[in-house]
Amino acid sequence: MGALSELHRLATTIETWWPQIHAFLTSGITNAGSEGTSRVIKTVARDAYRFRNPQNQRLRTRTATTRRHRGHLNPA
C-alpha cells in the first residue's frame, strides 16, 4: 500500500469515529469499562452449554462481572 492510500484510510477512519473521538477529547471518558464487561458476558454465554438452567448462567455472569472477581479473570 502506498503512503497516499494509508493516509486516505486514516482519514476515513477518523471521519467514521469522529463523534467518539471528540467525546473522549472533550470529556476524557471512554466506554472501555462497559466494553470489557460486555466481553466477559459474551464469554460466559459462549460457555453456556455447561449450565443446566438459565439461572446458573445469570449467576455465573454476575459473579464474573463483580468488582471482587474481575481482577481474577484470565482472558487467555
Side-chain angles (χ1 to χ4, degrees), residues 15-27:
E15 184 177 347
T16 300
W17 290 98
W18 181 249
Q20 291 81 0
I21 294 168
H22 184 260
F24 170 73
L25 293 173
T26 57
S27 70

mmCIF file with all atom_site columns, all heavy atoms in Angstrom, residues 15-27:
data_model
loop_
_atom_site.group_PDB
_atom_site.id
_atom_site.type_symbol
_atom_site.label_atom_id
_atom_site.label_alt_id
_atom_site.label_comp_id
_atom_site.label_asym_id
_atom_site.label_entity_id
_atom_site.label_seq_id
_atom_site.pdbx_PDB_ins_code
_atom_site.Cartn_x
_atom_site.Cartn_y
_atom_site.Cartn_z
_atom_site.occupancy
_atom_site.B_iso_or_equiv
_atom_site.pdbx_formal_charge
_atom_site.auth_seq_id
_atom_site.auth_comp_id
_atom_site.auth_asym_id
_atom_site.auth_atom_id
_atom_site.pdbx_PDB_model_num
ATOM 1   N N   . GLU A 1 15 ? -12.805 10.078 10.276 1.00 0.00 ? 15 GLU A N   1
ATOM 2   C CA  . GLU A 1 15 ? -14.124 10.627 9.949  1.00 0.00 ? 15 GLU A CA  1
ATOM 3   C C   . GLU A 1 15 ? -15.235 9.725  10.481 1.00 0.00 ? 15 GLU A C   1
ATOM 4   O O   . GLU A 1 15 ? -16.224 10.206 11.040 1.00 0.00 ? 15 GLU A O   1
ATOM 5   C CB  . GLU A 1 15 ? -14.257 10.789 8.440  1.00 0.00 ? 15 GLU A CB  1
ATOM 6   C CG  . GLU A 1 15 ? -15.554 11.450 8.029  1.00 0.00 ? 15 GLU A CG  1
ATOM 7   C CD  . GLU A 1 15 ? -15.642 11.681 6.539  1.00 0.00 ? 15 GLU A CD  1
ATOM 8   O OE1 . GLU A 1 15 ? -14.622 11.555 5.839  1.00 0.00 ? 15 GLU A OE1 1
ATOM 9   O OE2 . GLU A 1 15 ? -16.745 11.978 6.069  1.00 0.00 ? 15 GLU A OE2 1
ATOM 10  N N   . THR A 1 16 ? -15.064 8.420  10.333 1.00 0.00 ? 16 THR A N   1
ATOM 11  C CA  . THR A 1 16 ? -16.070 7.468  10.803 1.00 0.00 ? 16 THR A CA  1
ATOM 12  C C   . THR A 1 16 ? -16.245 7.538  12.320 1.00 0.00 ? 16 THR A C   1
ATOM 13  O O   . THR A 1 16 ? -17.359 7.508  12.833 1.00 0.00 ? 16 THR A O   1
ATOM 14  C CB  . THR A 1 16 ? -15.674 6.031  10.403 1.00 0.00 ? 16 THR A CB  1
ATOM 15  O OG1 . THR A 1 16 ? -15.572 5.971  8.983  1.00 0.00 ? 16 THR A OG1 1
ATOM 16  C CG2 . THR A 1 16 ? -16.677 5.009  10.892 1.00 0.00 ? 16 THR A CG2 1
ATOM 17  N N   . TRP A 1 17 ? -15.135 7.608  13.039 1.00 0.00 ? 17 TRP A N   1
ATOM 18  C CA  . TRP A 1 17 ? -15.165 7.565  14.501 1.00 0.00 ? 17 TRP A CA  1
ATOM 19  C C   . TRP A 1 17 ? -15.116 8.940  15.150 1.00 0.00 ? 17 TRP A C   1
ATOM 20  O O   . TRP A 1 17 ? -14.990 9.036  16.379 1.00 0.00 ? 17 TRP A O   1
ATOM 21  C CB  . TRP A 1 17 ? -14.000 6.699  15.018 1.00 0.00 ? 17 TRP A CB  1
ATOM 22  C CG  . TRP A 1 17 ? -14.224 5.259  14.712 1.00 0.00 ? 17 TRP A CG  1
ATOM 23  C CD1 . TRP A 1 17 ? -13.704 4.553  13.674 1.00 0.00 ? 17 TRP A CD1 1
ATOM 24  C CD2 . TRP A 1 17 ? -15.054 4.356  15.436 1.00 0.00 ? 17 TRP A CD2 1
ATOM 25  N NE1 . TRP A 1 17 ? -14.149 3.259  13.709 1.00 0.00 ? 17 TRP A NE1 1
ATOM 26  C CE2 . TRP A 1 17 ? -14.974 3.111  14.779 1.00 0.00 ? 17 TRP A CE2 1
ATOM 27  C CE3 . TRP A 1 17 ? -15.841 4.470  16.571 1.00 0.00 ? 17 TRP A CE3 1
ATOM 28  C CZ2 . TRP A 1 17 ? -15.667 1.993  15.223 1.00 0.00 ? 17 TRP A CZ2 1
ATOM 29  C CZ3 . TRP A 1 17 ? -16.526 3.352  17.014 1.00 0.00 ? 17 TRP A CZ3 1
ATOM 30  C CH2 . TRP A 1 17 ? -16.436 2.138  16.345 1.00 0.00 ? 17 TRP A CH2 1
ATOM 31  N N   . TRP A 1 18 ? -15.215 10.022 14.386 1.00 0.00 ? 18 TRP A N   1
ATOM 32  C CA  . TRP A 1 18 ? -15.050 11.355 14.949 1.00 0.00 ? 18 TRP A CA  1
ATOM 33  C C   . TRP A 1 18 ? -15.966 11.648 16.138 1.00 0.00 ? 18 TRP A C   1
ATOM 34  O O   . TRP A 1 18 ? -15.503 12.216 17.138 1.00 0.00 ? 18 TRP A O   1
ATOM 35  C CB  . TRP A 1 18 ? -15.169 12.450 13.896 1.00 0.00 ? 18 TRP A CB  1
ATOM 36  C CG  . TRP A 1 18 ? -14.970 13.779 14.532 1.00 0.00 ? 18 TRP A CG  1
ATOM 37  C CD1 . TRP A 1 18 ? -15.890 14.752 14.717 1.00 0.00 ? 18 TRP A CD1 1
ATOM 38  C CD2 . TRP A 1 18 ? -13.766 14.255 15.153 1.00 0.00 ? 18 TRP A CD2 1
ATOM 39  N NE1 . TRP A 1 18 ? -15.334 15.807 15.388 1.00 0.00 ? 18 TRP A NE1 1
ATOM 40  C CE2 . TRP A 1 18 ? -14.030 15.522 15.672 1.00 0.00 ? 18 TRP A CE2 1
ATOM 41  C CE3 . TRP A 1 18 ? -12.487 13.712 15.317 1.00 0.00 ? 18 TRP A CE3 1
ATOM 42  C CZ2 . TRP A 1 18 ? -13.077 16.275 16.340 1.00 0.00 ? 18 TRP A CZ2 1
ATOM 43  C CZ3 . TRP A 1 18 ? -11.533 14.455 15.983 1.00 0.00 ? 18 TRP A CZ3 1
ATOM 44  C CH2 . TRP A 1 18 ? -11.826 15.719 16.480 1.00 0.00 ? 18 TRP A CH2 1
ATOM 45  N N   . PRO A 1 19 ? -17.261 11.307 16.116 1.00 0.00 ? 19 PRO A N   1
ATOM 46  C CA  . PRO A 1 19 ? -18.086 11.607 17.295 1.00 0.00 ? 19 PRO A CA  1
ATOM 47  C C   . PRO A 1 19 ? -17.527 10.996 18.584 1.00 0.00 ? 19 PRO A C   1
ATOM 48  O O   . PRO A 1 19 ? -17.506 11.642 19.634 1.00 0.00 ? 19 PRO A O   1
ATOM 49  C CB  . PRO A 1 19 ? -19.455 11.016 16.941 1.00 0.00 ? 19 PRO A CB  1
ATOM 50  C CG  . PRO A 1 19 ? -19.475 11.017 15.446 1.00 0.00 ? 19 PRO A CG  1
ATOM 51  C CD  . PRO A 1 19 ? -18.061 10.739 15.026 1.00 0.00 ? 19 PRO A CD  1
ATOM 52  N N   . GLN A 1 20 ? -17.051 9.740  18.499 1.00 0.00 ? 20 GLN A N   1
ATOM 53  C CA  . GLN A 1 20 ? -16.492 9.088  19.683 1.00 0.00 ? 20 GLN A CA  1
ATOM 54  C C   . GLN A 1 20 ? -15.147 9.700  20.069 1.00 0.00 ? 20 GLN A C   1
ATOM 55  O O   . GLN A 1 20 ? -14.847 9.855  21.265 1.00 0.00 ? 20 GLN A O   1
ATOM 56  C CB  . GLN A 1 20 ? -16.331 7.584  19.426 1.00 0.00 ? 20 GLN A CB  1
ATOM 57  C CG  . GLN A 1 20 ? -17.647 6.833  19.322 1.00 0.00 ? 20 GLN A CG  1
ATOM 58  C CD  . GLN A 1 20 ? -18.311 6.946  17.952 1.00 0.00 ? 20 GLN A CD  1
ATOM 59  O OE1 . GLN A 1 20 ? -17.818 7.591  17.040 1.00 0.00 ? 20 GLN A OE1 1
ATOM 60  N NE2 . GLN A 1 20 ? -19.465 6.308  17.810 1.00 0.00 ? 20 GLN A NE2 1
ATOM 61  N N   . ILE A 1 21 ? -14.340 10.035 19.094 1.00 0.00 ? 21 ILE A N   1
ATOM 62  C CA  . ILE A 1 21 ? -13.050 10.671 19.370 1.00 0.00 ? 21 ILE A CA  1
ATOM 63  C C   . ILE A 1 21 ? -13.268 12.018 20.037 1.00 0.00 ? 21 ILE A C   1
ATOM 64  O O   . ILE A 1 21 ? -12.636 12.343 21.049 1.00 0.00 ? 21 ILE A O   1
ATOM 65  C CB  . ILE A 1 21 ? -12.221 10.827 18.068 1.00 0.00 ? 21 ILE A CB  1
ATOM 66  C CG1 . ILE A 1 21 ? -11.824 9.459  17.522 1.00 0.00 ? 21 ILE A CG1 1
ATOM 67  C CG2 . ILE A 1 21 ? -10.989 11.699 18.298 1.00 0.00 ? 21 ILE A CG2 1
ATOM 68  C CD1 . ILE A 1 21 ? -11.264 9.496  16.104 1.00 0.00 ? 21 ILE A CD1 1
ATOM 69  N N   . HIS A 1 22 ? -14.189 12.794 19.498 1.00 0.00 ? 22 HIS A N   1
ATOM 70  C CA  . HIS A 1 22 ? -14.481 14.121 20.056 1.00 0.00 ? 22 HIS A CA  1
ATOM 71  C C   . HIS A 1 22 ? -15.010 14.005 21.483 1.00 0.00 ? 22 HIS A C   1
ATOM 72  O O   . HIS A 1 22 ? -14.621 14.781 22.368 1.00 0.00 ? 22 HIS A O   1
ATOM 73  C CB  . HIS A 1 22 ? -15.488 14.858 19.165 1.00 0.00 ? 22 HIS A CB  1
ATOM 74  C CG  . HIS A 1 22 ? -15.763 16.243 19.617 1.00 0.00 ? 22 HIS A CG  1
ATOM 75  N ND1 . HIS A 1 22 ? -16.888 16.570 20.331 1.00 0.00 ? 22 HIS A ND1 1
ATOM 76  C CD2 . HIS A 1 22 ? -15.046 17.392 19.463 1.00 0.00 ? 22 HIS A CD2 1
ATOM 77  C CE1 . HIS A 1 22 ? -16.860 17.856 20.607 1.00 0.00 ? 22 HIS A CE1 1
ATOM 78  N NE2 . HIS A 1 22 ? -15.748 18.375 20.089 1.00 0.00 ? 22 HIS A NE2 1
ATOM 79  N N   . ALA A 1 23 ? -15.899 13.025 21.713 1.00 0.00 ? 23 ALA A N   1
ATOM 80  C CA  . ALA A 1 23 ? -16.445 12.825 23.062 1.00 0.00 ? 23 ALA A CA  1
ATOM 81  C C   . ALA A 1 23 ? -15.328 12.529 24.055 1.00 0.00 ? 23 ALA A C   1
ATOM 82  O O   . ALA A 1 23 ? -15.316 13.061 25.173 1.00 0.00 ? 23 ALA A O   1
ATOM 83  C CB  . ALA A 1 23 ? -17.468 11.694 23.055 1.00 0.00 ? 23 ALA A CB  1
ATOM 84  N N   . PHE A 1 24 ? -14.354 11.693 23.665 1.00 0.00 ? 24 PHE A N   1
ATOM 85  C CA  . PHE A 1 24 ? -13.240 11.390 24.554 1.00 0.00 ? 24 PHE A CA  1
ATOM 86  C C   . PHE A 1 24 ? -12.377 12.626 24.781 1.00 0.00 ? 24 PHE A C   1
ATOM 87  O O   . PHE A 1 24 ? -11.985 12.925 25.918 1.00 0.00 ? 24 PHE A O   1
ATOM 88  C CB  . PHE A 1 24 ? -12.376 10.267 24.001 1.00 0.00 ? 24 PHE A CB  1
ATOM 89  C CG  . PHE A 1 24 ? -11.095 10.100 24.774 1.00 0.00 ? 24 PHE A CG  1
ATOM 90  C CD1 . PHE A 1 24 ? -11.111 9.554  26.043 1.00 0.00 ? 24 PHE A CD1 1
ATOM 91  C CD2 . PHE A 1 24 ? -9.888  10.526 24.256 1.00 0.00 ? 24 PHE A CD2 1
ATOM 92  C CE1 . PHE A 1 24 ? -9.942  9.422  26.785 1.00 0.00 ? 24 PHE A CE1 1
ATOM 93  C CE2 . PHE A 1 24 ? -8.717  10.399 24.979 1.00 0.00 ? 24 PHE A CE2 1
ATOM 94  C CZ  . PHE A 1 24 ? -8.741  9.846  26.242 1.00 0.00 ? 24 PHE A CZ  1
ATOM 95  N N   . LEU A 1 25 ? -12.071 13.360 23.717 1.00 0.00 ? 25 LEU A N   1
ATOM 96  C CA  . LEU A 1 25 ? -11.207 14.537 23.858 1.00 0.00 ? 25 LEU A CA  1
ATOM 97  C C   . LEU A 1 25 ? -11.825 15.616 24.732 1.00 0.00 ? 25 LEU A C   1
ATOM 98  O O   . LEU A 1 25 ? -11.114 16.302 25.462 1.00 0.00 ? 25 LEU A O   1
ATOM 99  C CB  . LEU A 1 25 ? -10.879 15.116 22.474 1.00 0.00 ? 25 LEU A CB  1
ATOM 100 C CG  . LEU A 1 25 ? -10.004 14.240 21.576 1.00 0.00 ? 25 LEU A CG  1
ATOM 101 C CD1 . LEU A 1 25 ? -9.891  14.846 20.191 1.00 0.00 ? 25 LEU A CD1 1
ATOM 102 C CD2 . LEU A 1 25 ? -8.630  14.027 22.193 1.00 0.00 ? 25 LEU A CD2 1
ATOM 103 N N   . THR A 1 26 ? -13.137 15.757 24.687 1.00 0.00 ? 26 THR A N   1
ATOM 104 C CA  . THR A 1 26 ? -13.787 16.800 25.488 1.00 0.00 ? 26 THR A CA  1
ATOM 105 C C   . THR A 1 26 ? -14.137 16.348 26.898 1.00 0.00 ? 26 THR A C   1
ATOM 106 O O   . THR A 1 26 ? -14.192 17.164 27.808 1.00 0.00 ? 26 THR A O   1
ATOM 107 C CB  . THR A 1 26 ? -15.055 17.320 24.790 1.00 0.00 ? 26 THR A CB  1
ATOM 108 O OG1 . THR A 1 26 ? -15.941 16.231 24.541 1.00 0.00 ? 26 THR A OG1 1
ATOM 109 C CG2 . THR A 1 26 ? -14.705 18.017 23.492 1.00 0.00 ? 26 THR A CG2 1
ATOM 110 N N   . SER A 1 27 ? -14.369 15.032 27.086 1.00 0.00 ? 27 SER A N   1
ATOM 111 C CA  . SER A 1 27 ? -14.785 14.572 28.417 1.00 0.00 ? 27 SER A CA  1
ATOM 112 C C   . SER A 1 27 ? -13.728 13.734 29.131 1.00 0.00 ? 27 SER A C   1
ATOM 113 O O   . SER A 1 27 ? -13.747 13.633 30.353 1.00 0.00 ? 27 SER A O   1
ATOM 114 C CB  . SER A 1 27 ? -16.070 13.745 28.310 1.00 0.00 ? 27 SER A CB  1
ATOM 115 O OG  . SER A 1 27 ? -15.799 12.506 27.684 1.00 0.00 ? 27 SER A OG  1
#
